[in-house]
Amino acid sequence: QLVESGGALVQPGGSLRLSCAASGFALEYYAIAWFRQAPGKEREGVSCINKMNKRTIHADSVKGRFTISQDIPKNTVYLQMNNLKPDDTGVYYCARADSGYPCTDSSTQYDYWGQGTQVTVSA
């Protein structure tokens, strides 16, 4: 099970930290990604952390603003979001990649999803 938290209403330029807590398995053995979906738009990959080398990947739209990290003892993945923009508004989901798969933009390669947390960036 994956449970996201930390979503909120924030002004442009503000920051949020999302959390993705796992139970029933150890996150460190899987690639874990954050996706988001805005109203009327398709779900898109935002950030991902690979299981082996812990290399992180970020979408061009969030590079330099978002950081994904992992706390192994807490079995939690975080998404630190800085300098938020209205275009960052959406429901944010964390997801676990199928066993053996690295980070990918394809949502079909992820077998476990959280319920989502709402992020709204507005003045």
Side-chain angles (χ1 to χ4, degrees):
Q1 184 181 11
L2 296 171
V3 179
E4 304 97 332
S5 62
L9 170 64
V10 63
Q11 292 186 344
S15 296
L16 283 175
R17 188 178 77 160
L18 306 184
S19 299
C20 171
S23 59
F25 67 96
L27 284 172
E28 63 179 311
Y29 299 118
Y30 297 87
I32 303 295
W34 285 95
F35 286 78
R36 69 185 179 189
Q37 189 165 20
K41 294 186 178 180
E42 292 186 356
R43 190 171 297 188
E44 63 172 346
V46 175
S47 300
C48 188
I49 182 166
N50 277 292
K51 66 172 182 175
M52 295 300 293
N53 56 20
K54 302 306 178 185
R55 188 171 67 94
T56 61
I57 300 171
H58 299 280
D60 288 343
S61 59
V62 306
K63 280 181 181 177
R65 300 188 298 122
F66 290 12
T67 302
I68 187 170
S69 62
Q70 187 178 67
D71 187 326
I72 294 175
K74 293 185 178 180
N75 208 25
T76 299
V77 170
Y78 300 100
L79 184 67
Q80 178 67 43
M81 306 186 296
N82 298 326
N83 191 22
L84 283 160
K85 304 176 181 181
D87 284 348
D88 296 318
T89 295
V91 179
Y92 283 69
Y93 302 89
C94 64
R96 186 189 85 170
D98 288 337
S99 180
Y101 280 91
C103 289
T104 172
D105 287 340
S106 174
S107 60
T108 60
Q109 298 299 339
Y110 294 83
D111 58 359
Y112 278 92
W113 293 79
Q115 82 289 349
T117 186
Q118 176 71 44
V119 172
T120 303
V121 185
S122 175

